[in-house]
């Protein structure tokens, strides 16, 4: 069995975009359920809204992804620029000093990279 590790870049904002992103991740999980091991959604720049929005539909989708083991990683540079603390975000997240550098590291480790 092939083991999948997927890292996904989110650096845009908007409800339609977040619906597309969460739909794609949920479909990916469904299609690769037997091979699925790890998935990280790396948010930076405008993508920070994915983990700050209180929109009930997006919040429910975020919760569903978290329940499936998807991890949200937030760029610390973006948090600093926005004067936010990780504790103020609306869901449980990890942090990376630089979101872009985190993506590059994951790719070097063999993770599949998606920019949707």
């Amino acid at each position: 069995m092939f083991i999948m590790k997927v890292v996904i870049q989110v650096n845009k904002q908007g409800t339609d975009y977040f619906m597309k992103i969460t739909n794609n991740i949920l479909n990916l999980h469904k299609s690769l359920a037997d091979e699925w091991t790890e998935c990280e959604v790396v948010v930076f720049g405008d993508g920070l809204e994915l983990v700050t929005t209180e929109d009930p539909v997006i919040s429910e989708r975020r919760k569903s992804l978290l329940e499936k083991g998807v991890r949200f990683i937030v760029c610390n540079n973006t948090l600093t620029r926005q004067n936010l603390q990780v504790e103020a975000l609306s869901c449980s997240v990890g942090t990376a000093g630089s979101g872009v550098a985190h993506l590059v590291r994951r790719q070097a480790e063999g993770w599949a990279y998606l920019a949707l």
Side-chain angles (χ1 to χ4, degrees):
M1 173 172 64
F2 190 71
I3 304 300
M4 289 288 181
K5 293 183 179 187
V6 181
V7 63
I8 301 168
Q9 171 182 318
V10 175
N11 66 330
K12 300 174 191 166
Q13 63 184 356
T15 302
D16 290 343
Y17 174 68
F18 294 149
M19 291 295 288
K20 178 182 99 169
I21 289 290
T22 55
N23 236 14
N24 283 322
I25 298 169
L26 290 167
N27 288 338
L28 182 67
H29 183 269
K30 183 178 178 181
S31 295
L32 299 176
D34 293 338
E35 303 157 281
W36 183 272
T37 58
E38 292 185 65
C39 180
E40 292 180 347
V41 177
V42 181
V43 298
F44 58 94
D46 291 339
L48 184 64
E49 187 181 332
L50 178 61
V51 294
T52 60
T53 185
E54 296 295 332
D55 177 285
V57 174
I58 301 302
S59 294
E60 187 58 38
R61 284 173 170 255
R62 211 175 36 225
K63 179 181 173 189
S64 176
L65 292 172
L66 287 165
E67 289 170 354
K68 292 179 182 341
V70 173
R71 290 188 308 271
F72 290 91
I73 307 295
V74 176
C75 173
N76 197 50
N77 293 332
T78 299
L79 288 174
T80 300
R81 222 175 6 264
Q82 299 284 333
N83 294 316
L84 290 173
Q85 300 295 318
V86 70
E87 298 80 20
L89 302 180
S90 56
C91 71
S92 175
V93 299
T95 60
S98 164
V100 173
H102 187 77
L103 292 168
V104 170
R105 282 188 196 98
R106 287 300 194 220
Q107 288 176 79
E109 294 168 355
W111 289 50
Y113 165 70
L114 298 175
L116 304 171

